[in-house]
Amino acid sequence: MASNPMDQFTIVPIVPLEVAGFDISFTNSALWMTITVVVSSLFLLLSIRSRGTIPTRGQMVAEMMYNTVANMVRDNVGSGGQPYFPFIFTLFMFVLFGNLLGMVPGSFTFTSHIAVTFAMAAIIFIAVTVIGIAKHGTRFATLFFPHGAPLWTAVILIPIELVSYLSRPVSLSVRIFANLTVGHVILKVIAGFVVALGVFGIVPLAGLVAITAFEFMIAVIQAYVFAILSCIYLHDALHLH
Amino acid sequence: MPQFAQIDTFVSQIFWLLVTFTILYILMSRVILPRISETLTNRQNKIDDDLGKAEELRGKAAEIQSAYEHALAQATETARSVHRDAAEAIAARSEKEHGELAEKLAAEAAEAEARIDKGKTDILTEMRDDAVEIVQAASGRLIGGSVDAASARAALDAVGK
């Protein structure tokens, strides 16, 4: 294990690859994305294998995840949200399993990289904007001016709303990136204390156990928040506030 | 921080993100989600079906119950009327027989009375005749004369009054 708590985030190429001048090497990040896809798909496929009317334990978990996201889409996107359910579900599972697999010792957490989280946030942002404009045309601009406000306030409100709208992908991506990065750094730093303190390392070790549990909670919450904010943005695009 | 230091890896990260995410999206939307939703729909259908069946059976049970109660009420009514008819018939026959017996007894009693009366009259007549004879004989001995039967009878009648 590296002693520098930042080393766990280093991207290491596994299979160097270059296409049209772009470096698209298969790295440890790509490996864990692949593992995430395989594990989340296999988990769901195996747990719903029996397709029983009376569900098995695994099936209960899979159906719970399905219902959680289905309710999230129904409550936050509202009418017309059904076509986006598979996307939101995929997003939730991808981030959730990415976060959780990142808790495996020695693994790599791709969701702790701003490049990945910002790419996801940007795709959601662009998609939501395109959907909004395609659905409402120029009326989409009313998203930046609250209905019923006095006209003269437009001078203040429109820049504020515009900034808040444009900052969405930034806040969405930085939130998860920062949470995951800081969590893993803290784990690594305190783990360093355990080793350094020898016998008395039992004290930080106890703390480490608690923080590990806390990080599992963060992993789930951040996945949930990421998916639910995507739903809310989608709602704005579909219904304009 | 490698997140900001390794800018040369951004293209690779985003490329593999798109590849893996697309694969997962296709797997989810084509295979996994339809299966889960099918299972959930089937379960809901089964539950609705069973509830419908239960409702139907309950209706049938209520029907049978009401038919049973109806039949029971009818049977009770029939039994009651049979009982009443029988009781009436018995009462009528008993009254009739009672009357006949009373009539017969009354006739017999009247006949017996007539017979007793006749016997009594006969005996009284006989006794009177004997008394007349006794009077005649006694007066013959006492006064030494003979008293005829008519005088004796008149004297007896006067005493008997």
Side-chain angles (χ1 to χ4, degrees):
Chain A
M1 280 281 116
S3 55
N4 186 337
M6 284 301 166
D7 282 353
Q8 58 179 322
F9 302 114
T10 308
I11 288 181
V12 185
I14 296 171
V15 183
L17 212 63
E18 200 176 304
V19 173
F22 290 109
D23 175 24
I24 53 162
S25 302
F26 190 80
T27 61
N28 50 352
S29 168
L31 173 68
W32 282 93
M33 287 180 193
T34 312
I35 291 173
T36 296
V37 170
V38 171
V39 170
S40 61
S41 311
L42 276 184
F43 167 71
L44 289 179
L45 279 172
L46 291 179
S47 57
I48 59 167
R49 188 184 35 184
S50 60
R51 296 199 215 179
T53 305
I54 297 158
T56 58
R57 273 180 291 186
Q59 200 184 337
M60 286 286 285
V61 177
E63 286 173 6
M64 197 179 75
M65 284 170 163
Y66 182 98
N67 285 328
T68 303
V69 180
N71 290 338
M72 189 199 289
V73 170
R74 196 174 47 241
D75 295 345
N76 295 296
V77 184
S79 61
Q82 215 45 44
Y84 307 103
F85 169 64
F87 177 79
I88 301 288
F89 188 78
T90 310
L91 193 68
F92 177 66
M93 292 305 275
F94 191 71
V95 176
L96 177 68
F97 275 79
N99 290 350
L100 289 177
L101 288 169
M103 291 302 292
V104 175
S107 73
F108 181 87
T109 320
F110 62 82
T111 44
S112 67
H113 271 258
I114 187 76
V116 171
T117 61
F118 189 78
M120 287 195 289
I123 290 167
I124 291 160
F125 177 76
I126 293 166
V128 159
T129 309
V130 168
I131 289 166
I133 292 172
K135 195 169 156 62
H136 299 289
T138 51
R139 281 210 305 126
F140 183 68
T142 61
L143 193 61
F144 304 111
F145 187 64
H147 182 74
L151 200 62
W152 64 268
T153 56
V155 190
I156 312 159
L157 282 178
I158 288 178
I160 292 175
E161 290 284 337
L162 207 59
V163 167
S164 108
Y165 188 77
L166 292 176
S167 66
R168 278 175 176 185
V170 178
S171 66
L172 189 60
S173 57
V174 168
R175 182 182 299 111
I176 184 165
F177 145 74
N179 266 290
L180 271 287
T181 302
V182 169
H184 283 261
V185 169
I186 289 174
L187 284 180
K188 194 52 85 58
V189 167
I190 296 180
F193 289 164
V194 177
V195 178
L197 287 176
V199 180
F200 300 104
I202 191 86
V203 178
L205 184 64
L208 201 59
V209 171
I211 294 171
T212 304
F214 184 72
E215 285 307 318
F216 271 104
M217 194 180 79
I218 294 285
V220 175
I221 288 175
Q222 286 304 319
Y224 189 77
V225 165
F226 201 85
I228 207 165
L229 284 174
S230 304
C231 285
I232 290 168
Y233 298 161
L234 197 56
H235 171 267
D236 283 352
L238 290 175
H239 305 289
L240 298 179
H241 282 304
Chain B
M1 270 177 110
Q3 282 92 332
F4 297 112
Q6 294 183 299
I7 293 174
D8 54 326
T9 64
F10 277 17
V11 175
S12 156
Q13 285 192 62
I14 293 167
F15 172 78
W16 287 106
L17 168 70
L18 293 178
V19 169
T20 51
F21 192 88
T22 308
I23 291 169
L24 188 64
Y25 179 75
I26 292 167
L27 273 171
M28 289 291 178
S29 58
R30 297 280 159 82
V31 185
I32 295 168
L33 291 177
R35 285 190 192 171
I36 298 180
S37 116
E38 187 200 318
T39 309
L40 291 176
T41 314
N42 284 348
R43 181 177 309 143
Q44 196 55 49
N45 287 347
K46 172 111 176 68
I47 289 169
D48 291 346
D49 218 45
D50 286 359
L51 282 178
K53 245 182 232 164
E55 192 59 45
E56 198 180 298
L57 287 177
R58 196 169 65 175
K60 257 186 208 164
E63 237 170 68
I64 290 168
Q65 168 86 16
S66 84
Y68 161 75
E69 269 165 16
H70 185 71
L72 187 68
Q74 236 172 6
T76 311
E77 190 49 48
T78 312
R80 228 176 249 150
S81 91
V82 165
H83 181 258
R84 199 171 46 233
D85 288 354
E88 272 168 16
I90 288 166
R93 213 178 74 191
S94 137
E95 208 167 300
K96 188 172 152 239
E97 280 177 4
H98 199 262
E100 273 170 10
L101 190 64
E103 248 167 58
K104 198 176 139 200
L105 288 177
E108 272 171 21
E111 198 189 320
E113 241 165 69
R115 215 168 46 227
I116 288 165
D117 274 354
K118 188 175 167 275
K120 201 168 119 188
T121 317
D122 288 354
I123 286 167
L124 280 174
T125 315
E126 226 168 275
M127 275 172 71
R128 187 173 282 261
D129 290 348
D130 288 348
V132 169
E133 269 171 44
I134 290 166
V135 166
Q136 279 178 313
S139 44
R141 283 247 185 119
L142 286 173
I143 56 177
S146 74
V147 177
D148 61 10
S151 312
R153 198 171 296 271
L156 266 177
D157 282 345
V159 172
K161 281 220 176 125

